Each structure stands twice: as structure tokens, then as C-alpha cells.
Amino acid sequence: MKSIQTIAEMREALESKRAEGAKVGLVPTMGFLHEGHLSLIRQSQQECDVTVVSIFVNPTQFNDPSDYENYPVDLEKDLNALEKEGVQFAFLPHAKEMYPANRLKVQMTIPELTGNLCGLHRPGHFDGVLLVVSKFFNIVQPHRAYFGLKDYQQFLVIRTMARALDFSVEVVGCETVREPDGLAMSSRNARLSEKAREHAALIPRALNLVQKTLQDRKAQYSVKCAELCEIAWDVIESGTQNRVEYMEIVDPDTLQKLDEIQKDRTARIATAVFCDGVRLIDNRPLQF
Ligand code: PAF
């Protein structure tokens, strides 16, 4: 595996590969890799000839400076994991390489997709994600780029940006990988105390309960979303230190909030929860 730190070197290394007709896959990450990241890497390895994994804790997407400072880092472990997976290129730019101090700031935004869920609660977050991902698309020029559906809003925002800017990349969304008790894999899970980790498992349980409730209401024509969200909210918070930031049922394409779910319509339930101060997100499709 080749570790590369500069944009020029990354471009040069891929030029010859592309000239040979190689399909390039990109897996952008912020490091502290877990099984969720490895599943994206494995899918890229299967579908592409060359896989580039970027590790960059992107400062422009953190609206809370302490969240940025506390973001877990273990580069040595990450590089060992990438070697083991047979990844060809690790792209490890420094912040100064990605954002030289003497440049004017560019802002990217998709207001229609970022007015609720994480977009509402983390102002500027998706602008930062869009900026860094579009830079990676431009530098790596991948045929395919892989993102986890745990960050469902992020996936939609990036796919919309890639289409709007005519990047010739296929943005691929990959299923969430979960711990045995259902908790979605996340680098932030490492920051949970034992008790908070136990209570975090209530998040997927609550979302699954909403799907089950829908199934139990099959005789109805529609179900009110507020009622379903309240059920999930209670399961997560009662008897714990968990604090739900948001719990919403949305249209899976537009992310607009739904008031009710109607028969034969699909929807997505999404939540963000502070488990003893650690912010976790999860979502799942709903079928009625
Ligand atoms: O999902 C992430 O880890 C980040 O938001 C991403 C896509 C690597 C951009 O920094």
C-alpha cells in the first residue's frame, strides 16, 4: 500500500492507473476505522480495480470545536487495517494541504436537503462535508465512491451534489453495519462509557419497534408520525441518561418531514441521540 500526503502526488499516482483503464473506487473516511468502513472498502475492492481510502478529520464539517478536538484518532491501527484489506492507496492529507491559509473560502450548500435532521441541528456541517467530498472527487476522480447509509442525509446530500456538479462518479450507499445488539458501528462508540454503551443499544431497538408498530396497524389506512416518534423517543430516554436531539419520519428522497405514513408508502425514520454526551445517529427504512 502506498501512503500519500499531497494532492499532486495523489493525482500523479492515479493518472497512470486510469490510463491503463483501471476503475478507481474511493472510500472517504475520517479514520478510526471499524467494520462499517471495512465493508465499504471490501465493496470497492470487489467492484473496482484500485481502491483509494482517504483518512482526513475534516475541520470544516465540525460545528462544535470540542467534537473536533475529541474525535478519536489511531492512524497506525488504521494503516495496518488498510494493508490487511489489500488497499492500494491511503490518502492522508494534512489540513494545510486541503485548506491552504491564503485561499478565499468557498461555500457549498444544498438548502432543500439540509433544513432538518442533522442539517438543522449541526449548522454548516453539510456545507463542510460537501466541500471536502467535492475536493476528493476532483483530486481522485473516482468511478465509484462509497458511503455508509448510517449517515443517510449525508449520502443524499453528496449524491445530489455529484449529480448537480456533473462529477462522473457513481455515489454508492452501503448498508449500515451493526454490533450484535444492533448498535450502528461508529467511531464515536469508542467514547461511550460502559453504561452509556448499554443504553445506546436502545436506539436501534426503538427504531425497530416503530416498524413493528406499523406492521401491527396493518388494518389502518394511515398512522400519525408524531405517535410513532413518541414511542421511539420514550424507549430511548426512559430510565437512562440518553437525550434525544431529534426523532423524525421523513420522505426517503426529499427528507421532508411526514405527518403520517400511508399504506404502501415508504418512509425513513431518523434520530440523533446524546448518550451521556456522545452524539450518535441512526435511521432505518419504514414499510407500511
Ligand atoms: O462520513 C464521514 O466520515 C465524513 O463525513 C466524510 C464523508 C469522510 C467527509 O469528511
Side-chain angles (χ1 to χ4, degrees), residues 98-268:
M98 293 298 283
Y99 303 114
N102 54 358
R103 295 226 187 118
L104 290 178
K105 272 202 189 125
V106 168
Q107 204 176 340
M108 297 182 73
T109 179
I110 308 180
E112 278 171 59
L113 284 179
T114 55
N116 63 358
L117 309 178
C118 289
L120 179 65
H121 294 275
R122 298 185 71 187
H125 166 67
F126 287 114
D127 300 3
V129 169
L130 284 173
L131 186 60
V132 81
V133 172
S134 58
K135 281 169 80 77
F136 283 136
F137 283 179
N138 194 20
I139 297 162
V140 175
Q141 293 176 35
H143 296 84
R144 300 182 130 219
Y146 297 84
F147 298 89
L149 289 176
K150 177 180 75 80
D151 300 279
Y152 186 75
Q153 189 171 24
Q154 168 171 279
F155 163 71
L156 275 192
V157 163
I158 291 171
R159 195 180 63 179
T160 303
M161 174 276 289
R163 287 176 181 169
L165 299 186
D166 301 305
F167 278 110
S168 59
V169 59
E170 187 184 338
V171 176
V172 184
C174 306
E175 279 313 317
T176 304
V177 179
R178 296 179 180 279
E179 300 284 357
D181 64 1
L183 179 66
M185 298 255 180
S186 165
S187 306
R188 292 166 194 263
N189 294 353
R191 282 167 50 198
L192 295 168
S193 66
E194 205 178 315
K195 195 90 217 136
R197 170 65 190 82
E198 205 180 294
H199 291 160
L202 291 170
I203 301 169
R205 215 180 293 169
L207 301 188
N208 292 340
L209 181 63
V210 169
Q211 175 59 47
K212 189 172 175 309
T213 307
L214 272 177
Q215 263 149 11
D216 293 345
R217 305 276 183 91
K218 274 251 177 280
Q220 286 177 223
Y221 175 71
S222 66
V223 181
K224 292 254 174 274
C225 292
E227 188 194 336
L228 294 169
C229 287
E230 205 178 304
I231 293 171
W233 195 296
D234 282 352
V235 167
I236 292 171
E237 283 195 347
S238 52
T240 72
Q241 300 282 333
N242 293 342
R243 187 175 66 73
V244 175
E245 182 182 59
Y246 69 76
M247 175 73 68
E248 269 188 40
I249 295 175
V250 295
D251 179 286
D253 299 316
T254 64
L255 298 185
Q256 293 305 306
K257 191 175 171 179
L258 297 176
D259 289 333
E260 56 179 29
I261 306 186
Q262 285 168 2
K263 254 253 152 33
D264 300 325
R265 294 287 293 276
T266 54
R268 199 112 193 160

Side-chain angles (χ1 to χ4, degrees), residues 28-75:
T29 81
M30 297 208 296
F32 215 73
L33 304 178
H34 50 68
E35 277 300 316
H37 296 113
L38 299 186
S39 79
L40 307 181
I41 291 167
R42 287 173 195 147
Q43 192 166 334
S44 172
Q45 298 275 61
Q46 269 179 12
E47 296 175 353
C48 303
D49 305 305
V50 172
T51 292
V52 179
V53 178
S54 61
I55 298 181
F56 179 61
V57 184
N58 173 35
T60 65
Q61 70 186 73
F62 286 86
N63 54 318
D64 173 357
S66 80
D67 195 19
Y68 176 58
E69 276 145 32
N70 290 321
Y71 203 83
V73 176
D74 191 341
L75 190 57

Side-chain angles (χ1 to χ4, degrees), residues 64-99:
D64 173 357
S66 80
D67 195 19
Y68 176 58
E69 276 145 32
N70 290 321
Y71 203 83
V73 176
D74 191 341
L75 190 57
E76 201 183 316
K77 188 162 166 258
D78 287 349
L79 293 178
N80 284 335
L82 296 184
E83 287 270 11
K84 219 167 131 205
E85 293 298 321
V87 166
Q88 290 88 343
F89 295 106
F91 184 39
L92 316 166
H94 287 287
K96 279 192 200 131
E97 177 74 2
M98 293 298 283
Y99 303 114

